[in-house]
Amino acid sequence: DFELIVSDPFATVESLIAGETYFLNVYSGSGGVFESMGSSINCVPLGNIKKIQISQILQSSIQAIWDPVIYATVYKVEIRNVAFKNPEFVLVSDTIHEPIVLISNLVSGHKYRIRVTAGTKYGFSCDTYEAEFPVLSNVQNLQVTYFSSSSVSLKWEPVNEAQYYLVEQFIGEIEEKNNQTYEKIGNFKLCACDIKNLTFVGVKHNYRVFACTDMIKEPIGSRVSVTLLSPPRKLRYSTIGPDSITLTWGTVLGALTYRVEMKKFE
């Protein structure tokens, strides 16, 4: 049992146990004498939300998951756009009964802040948990800038708020009906990478690049393919005339076209 006498219309009751139900009564009084009716309210103290995990589902949607709070029966989720000056939190929902929420209609390239509050049928806790995250756009203008029989160089445009870029590789023909398993090449801070020590000449190499932060990876990425080619072999003259020559060479596996250059020695 607990009793506290205060002169202002508010009071803080401490040393409560999370999950226990408490019945609080307040009486008005004067000169040490209090009226007998009073006002009553019930309360269940709750623990704090410890961590929020964010995953980006679409270009404009994120999914937030957090550890359930013991004895909580409902959660309130609010969000605000950090890019705006003096933004206020906007209510997403205050009737969420599981520790997961999908938030849509976000703007790619903007940073947001999410706030989650646990509650019971008696109301919401004063303690909240906040986390900040960007909504990433997908990588644009992914290009192969160089390739040889054993290496490929890629570059792409920077993505706002991205901390690094994940590059993956799949060797072989892409089949639309099957989900190909890409191999991780690495994480790159710059908007370019060199992939070396490749050995499958004449085979298509497929690459995809995702913008990432320590918290999320954008879901779409960007894709590009290239077939590694070896240099033409057995280059020779087949005929030499007074004003023309004919060249021949061995077929290069995977090559669709050949470029012939000529330079006149002065």
Side-chain angles (χ1 to χ4, degrees):
D1 293 338
F2 177 88
E3 185 177 284
L4 180 66
I5 306 298
V6 296
S7 58
D8 296 313
F10 63 87
T12 300
V13 182
E14 299 179 339
S15 301
L16 303 181
I17 301 174
E20 295 288 338
T21 301
Y22 293 87
F23 304 93
L24 304 176
N25 300 303
V26 179
Y27 304 89
S28 59
S30 177
V33 180
F34 296 91
E35 51 87 20
S36 58
M37 296 296 292
S39 295
S40 301
I41 191 172
N42 297 336
C43 176
V44 180
L46 297 174
N48 297 330
I49 295 171
K50 301 297 183 182
K51 184 180 180 181
I52 299 177
Q53 295 181 338
I54 305 292
S55 58
Q56 188 169 334
I57 306 302
L58 299 171
Q59 289 299 304
S60 59
S61 301
I62 63 99
Q63 179 176 268
I65 303 174
W66 56 91
D67 294 332
V69 176
I70 189 169
Y71 305 114
T73 58
V74 67
Y75 298 94
K76 177 171 63 176
V77 175
E78 302 165 287
I79 196 169
R80 68 183 178 92
N81 192 328
V82 180
F84 298 154
K85 292 183 178 180
N86 301 319
E88 296 182 355
F89 277 96
V90 176
L91 179 66
V92 176
S93 177
D94 58 1
T95 58
I96 300 170
H97 298 286
E98 298 294 335
I100 183 172
V101 66
L102 178 65
I103 305 175
S104 303
N105 300 321
L106 304 177
V107 181
S108 297
H110 284 211
K111 185 177 288 186
Y112 290 84
R113 192 165 189 84
I114 186 174
R115 182 165 70 188
V116 181
T117 309
T120 67
K121 63 180 180 180
Y122 302 118
F124 288 96
S125 171
C126 294
D127 294 321
T128 64
Y129 187 92
E130 297 185 12
E132 198 166 283
F133 64 92
V135 178
L136 300 175
S137 58
N138 63 304
V139 172
Q140 299 291 328
N141 198 25
L142 175 61
Q143 300 178 27
V144 176
T145 59
Y146 169 85
F147 73 94
S148 67
S149 59
S150 61
S151 63
V152 173
S153 295
L154 306 175
K155 76 170 184 178
W156 53 90
E157 294 180 0
V159 173
N160 189 34
E161 300 292 347
Q163 296 175 340
Y164 64 91
Y165 301 90
L166 168 65
V167 179
E168 298 178 335
Q169 173 184 259
F170 173 76
I171 300 176
E173 292 294 330
I174 297 291
E175 298 180 7
E176 295 183 0
K177 295 183 179 180
N178 298 324
N179 292 326
Q180 281 73 30
T181 301
Y182 279 73
E183 173 190 4
K184 179 180 177 180
I185 298 297
N187 298 331
F188 298 87
K189 294 285 187 180
L190 302 178
C191 299
C193 72
D194 296 321
I195 305 167
K196 301 180 179 180
N197 301 319
L198 303 174
T199 58
F200 294 95
V201 177
V203 179
K204 183 177 289 186
H205 289 57
N206 307 277
Y207 296 95
R208 60 186 187 187
V209 180
F210 299 90
C212 304
T213 70
D214 292 335
M215 183 178 291
I216 63 175
K217 180 187 80 172
E218 59 91 6
I220 297 179
S222 186
R223 291 167 172 78
V224 70
S225 299
V226 62
T227 300
L228 301 190
L229 302 175
S230 61
R233 307 294 184 185
K234 299 180 180 180
L235 177 62
R236 60 187 179 87
Y237 302 112
S238 62
T239 59
I240 301 177
D243 57 359
S244 65
I245 58 173
T246 301
L247 302 174
T248 61
W249 55 84
T251 301
V252 176
L253 181 63
L256 300 178
T257 58
Y258 301 92
R259 185 178 69 197
V260 179
E261 296 179 346
M262 183 182 69
K263 181 179 179 180
K264 182 180 179 181
F265 286 97
E266 300 295 339

